Amino acid sequence: MPLNRRKFLEKSAVTGAGVALAGAVAAPGAEAAEAGEGARGRAKRYAFTVMGTTDLHGNVFNWDYFTDAEFDDKAHNDIGLAKVSTLVNQVRAEKGRRNTLLIDAGDTIQGTQLSYYYAKVDPITAEGGPVHPMAQAMNAMDYDAAALGNHEFNYGIPVLRKFEEQCRFPLLGANALDAKTLRPAFAPYSMHRLRTPFGRDVKVAVLGLTNPGIAIWEKANVQGKMTFPGLEEQAAKWVPKLRSMGADVVIVSAHSGSSGTSSYGDQLPYIENAAGLVAEQVPGIDAILVGHAHTEIPEYFVTNKKTGKQVVLSEPLKWGQRLTLFDFELVWEKGCWKVEKVGAQVLNSNTVQEDPEIVRLLSDEHEKVVAYVNQVIGTNAAEMTSAEAPYKDVPIIDLINHIQADTVKQALAGTEHAALPVLSQAACFSRSARIPAGEVTIRDVAGLYVFENTLEARLMTGAQLKAYLEFSANYFTQTAPGEPVDTAKLTNANGTPDYNYDVVSGLSYEIDIAKPAGSRVTNVRFGGQPLADDARFVFAVNNYRANGGGNFPHVAAAPLLWSNSDEIRNTMIAWVKAKGSIDPAEFAAVDWRLTRNGTPVF
């Protein structure tokens, strides 16, 4: 879908002039008191609150579509915009509706079967199609602005543009540029006016920044259409402009973590998690709503190197589990408003009930999706679970690799690479995935593959695959022979997430966890023989990994033999439908194991 430059320029002009005006007055008692103080010569002060969410990932209700039950975790968190809406209503009642703003830091329209359904099954892009549930909920909650996340691009630009059209608030992305003109493809910022009792409005600018990793993670959807320069570069360009336009307060909504790290190494000259660097390097920012990293940061101060001023950062926990509050206190000095104090905190959505208005608004959409995911598509001969998948070779991960390898073999049939052996990679995305014995539903299969990854085939050598396995083995904590093995501490070394531990089917190998990282993988074999460095293989791999996600070696530069635009999850559902039954005996095998000095750990 070509970028609509006319639509953007019209919208941007309105946004820059002060879209989403919040013509506010203070609460009656507070207004009278502050006005009286001003009349007596005391400093004029005004306070307001900016609420923030991030990484909602299609969660409207406190519901897990993969388990077909209310969401719950060990900490008994709750999720969803219906819960957040209740918190928002409480804050607005306390602070005064027009003394608040509500913003988001991205990753909104992907992540649940609810969001998938309205992108693929009953798409919002169809003629006369539905309004996206996230747009309906966020419109009802009166969001003022939202930054773009990388997952906004998962379903392609047409779906994103339709979602943008359906939202009554701007989607912001100052560093999402048209690839041809290098001009913003979305509104870079929004400007909001808060009315005070003293005649001079407070102008609050919200600058939206998204993640430069989009260029590689969503290459198929954005290549040649959009480009994504670094956050610091674009913040340095726009913040002075916003100040020159009269912004009294500048808030950045950044779909970028605060750690200063990247998961794709040096493939792009930009930092993935750059929010802290933006605060440190770009003067003129008062607060940053952080997203992308799925961590909880109630309040974190970064000192700007050029001004010495502290910038407050906050990241609410994903899926609507938390709501950030930035509380601003301003003072009138020398003819303008100055930020005197700003702090942040998070509210927990498990302390409230779902907003009945959001429940009423979207209950029909919810029920449609529940019915969809509970469709029976086949049978399974024996139960499979992922509970031990992070440290054992289990059949449920073998199923993913079996389907991926089978799909690639069929796709390459009759080509010059048809005779090459096909290997496959897979990771444990959820430790609670389960495919029961007996009837198998869509949600059973979908719950095994919770990301919208697509499938590719790359050409790899034996030497490259050994390096790939060695990198993957960094996931394990070094454990000396004879030491007790605690499975709760065995994995996720150095913060490595489960989805960045790959197992490879078609080879057999051992991982010696007694050895230091970098020298753990031993006895790598193919067809019972030691793996030759010059052997060639077709490697079935998801697009996230193939495009550099996780920074695994060699795969991003490996020749592309084939790719598929459909999600692996859909490929798996279609495979089960076509076959009609699953029998682990046909594909399950223990091809890898953990050892210590050659002795199996399990």
Side-chain angles (χ1 to χ4, degrees):
M1 178 178 180
L3 300 182
N4 191 328
R5 297 297 313 157
R6 180 179 178 184
K7 175 184 172 184
F8 162 69
L9 291 173
E10 289 173 352
K11 181 171 184 178
S12 183
V14 174
T15 301
V19 72
L21 297 184
V25 295
E31 178 180 343
E34 292 195 32
E37 290 177 355
R40 293 191 298 269
R42 295 186 182 180
K44 300 174 184 178
R45 286 185 165 81
Y46 174 70
F48 71 96
T49 296
V50 177
M51 298 173 282
T53 56
T54 191
D55 296 280
L56 293 168
H57 283 288
N59 286 286
V60 172
F61 298 114
N62 187 43
W63 192 261
D64 186 340
Y65 292 97
F66 297 130
T67 62
D68 199 26
E70 281 197 9
F71 175 86
D72 195 23
D73 62 12
K74 291 180 181 179
H76 301 298
N77 287 303
D78 287 346
I79 61 175
L81 275 174
K83 290 267 185 174
V84 173
S85 184
T86 299
L87 292 175
V88 168
N89 291 338
Q90 290 179 351
V91 173
R92 285 170 172 165
E94 176 189 350
K95 307 286 186 179
R97 170 66 180 84
R98 297 188 178 186
N99 298 321
T100 64
L101 295 173
L102 176 60
I103 65 175
D104 183 80
D107 275 6
T108 303
I109 60 171
Q110 172 276 338
T112 64
Q113 285 293 285
L114 180 72
S115 54
Y116 175 82
Y117 186 89
Y118 287 98
K120 291 289 190 177
V121 181
D122 185 12
I124 62 174
T125 49
E127 186 175 351
V131 177
H132 198 289
M134 294 301 288
Q136 292 190 58
M138 295 174 82
N139 287 340
M141 293 169 65
D142 286 329
Y143 268 79
D144 293 286
L148 294 165
N150 52 285
H151 284 289
E152 259 65 84
F153 294 85
N154 278 173
Y155 298 115
I157 292 174
V159 170
L160 174 54
R161 286 300 189 192
K162 188 64 178 181
F163 175 70
E164 179 189 28
E165 178 186 311
Q166 293 176 341
C167 291
R168 294 201 296 262
F169 52 89
L171 299 184
L172 308 178
N175 62 327
L177 309 181
D178 183 298
K180 294 181 180 178
T181 66
L182 297 183
R183 297 179 66 185
F186 294 83
Y189 65 91
S190 58
M191 192 76 78
H192 311 267
R193 291 182 181 270
L194 302 178
R195 191 174 301 158
T196 75
F198 309 110
R200 166 71 151 76
D201 294 348
V202 172
K203 292 180 70 175
V204 181
V206 179
L207 178 67
L209 296 170
T210 192
N211 204 291
I214 295 168
I216 54 174
W217 301 326
E218 298 302 325
K219 183 177 179 180
N221 290 323
V222 302
Q223 188 174 34
K225 300 173 184 177
M226 294 186 192
T227 185
F228 303 87
L231 283 83
E232 307 102 300
E233 169 192 321
Q234 293 300 302
K237 172 183 176 180
W238 283 101
V239 172
K241 290 184 178 182
L242 297 174
R243 290 293 184 181
S244 70
M245 292 166 58
D248 301 298
V249 179
V250 174
I251 300 167
V252 174
S253 183
H255 193 74
S256 179
S258 62
S259 65
T261 61
S262 289
S263 66
Y264 48 80
D266 58 0
Q267 294 181 64
L268 284 179
Y270 309 120
I271 300 298
E272 175 184 355
N273 295 303
L277 296 174
V278 171
E280 182 181 83
Q281 297 176 12
V282 181
I285 297 169
D286 296 296
I288 300 180
L289 177 65
V290 179
H292 183 63
H294 289 202
T295 57
E296 181 176 347
I297 305 173
E299 181 182 62
Y300 174 55
F301 288 96
V302 174
T303 301
N304 185 270
K305 286 186 174 181
K306 295 182 180 179
T307 65
K309 176 184 173 182
Q310 285 197 314
V311 182
V312 64
L313 284 68
S314 181
E315 181 176 5
L317 199 57
K318 65 185 186 295
W319 305 347
Q321 294 178 61
R322 303 288 187 273
L323 174 70
T324 279
L325 302 187
F326 291 108
D327 291 310
F328 288 86
E329 296 179 18
L330 275 62
V331 62
W332 182 263
E333 285 183 354
K334 299 179 181 179
C336 63
W337 289 108
K338 299 288 187 182
V339 175
E340 187 175 49
K341 182 180 178 183
V342 57
Q345 59 177 307
V346 295
L347 303 182
N348 195 329
S349 65
N350 72 5
T351 62
V352 297
Q353 299 298 311
E354 292 184 329
D355 183 347
E357 178 60 23
I358 302 299
V359 173
R360 181 199 62 78
L361 183 67
L362 290 165
S363 59
D364 287 348
E365 286 84 346
H366 171 71
E367 293 301 327
K368 283 182 182 179
V369 176
V370 169
Y372 164 74
V373 300
N374 280 290
Q375 292 180 38
V376 175
I377 56 174
T379 60
N380 179 31
E383 181 185 50
M384 297 181 287
T385 76
S386 62
E388 297 181 316
Y391 47 87
K392 289 184 181 180
D393 190 342
V394 295
I396 201 166
I397 304 299
D398 291 339
L399 174 63
I400 299 174
N401 277 326
H402 179 67
I403 293 173
Q404 290 182 163
D406 190 43
T407 301
V408 168
K409 286 175 185 176
Q410 293 183 39
L412 294 180
T415 72
E416 62 177 305
H417 299 102
L420 290 178
V422 178
L423 310 180
S424 177
Q425 63 78 223
C428 176
F429 294 142
S430 169
R431 298 193 184 199
S432 60
R434 171 180 172 269
I435 298 182
E439 291 184 340
V440 176
T441 65
I442 286 176
R443 67 177 173 85
D444 294 326
V445 178
L448 180 55
Y449 212 107
V450 299
F451 294 110
E452 262 72 17
N453 296 337
T454 58
L455 187 60
E456 297 188 5
R458 299 274 179 149
L459 185 64
M460 299 273 281
T461 67
Q464 291 172 335
L465 286 162
K466 288 177 185 176
Y468 189 99
L469 292 172
E470 193 65 66
F471 182 88
S472 186
N474 293 341
Y475 172 73
F476 295 102
T477 302
Q478 187 173 5
T479 309
E483 281 189 18
V485 175
D486 182 353
T487 56
K489 299 177 181 179
L490 179 61
T491 62
N492 307 103
N494 299 312
T496 304
D498 290 346
Y499 62 76
N500 273 347
Y501 171 59
D502 284 0
V503 300
V504 175
S505 72
L507 300 175
S508 64
Y509 56 96
E510 297 175 359
I511 301 173
D512 192 332
I513 60 173
K515 295 181 178 179
S519 58
R520 291 175 169 171
V521 177
T522 62
N523 200 24
V524 185
R525 294 176 174 269
F526 173 71
Q529 299 299 315
L531 179 63
D533 286 347
D534 61 353
R536 297 199 310 158
F537 299 90
V538 175
F539 192 41
V541 59
N542 70 57
N543 69 305
Y544 172 78
R545 187 71 76 235
N547 288 332
N551 201 28
F552 278 61
H554 304 302
V555 64
L560 174 66
L561 306 181
W562 171 85
S563 65
N564 187 12
S565 62
D566 205 6
E567 290 89 352
I568 293 171
R569 179 163 60 204
N570 275 352
T571 299
M572 293 172 61
I573 291 169
W575 187 90
V576 175
K577 276 184 176 180
K579 192 171 176 59
S581 63
I582 302 170
D583 185 358
E586 296 179 359
F587 54 80
V590 178
D591 292 323
W592 67 272
R593 69 186 71 221
L594 301 184
T595 64
R596 287 187 292 187
N597 290 345
T599 301
V601 175
F602 302 106

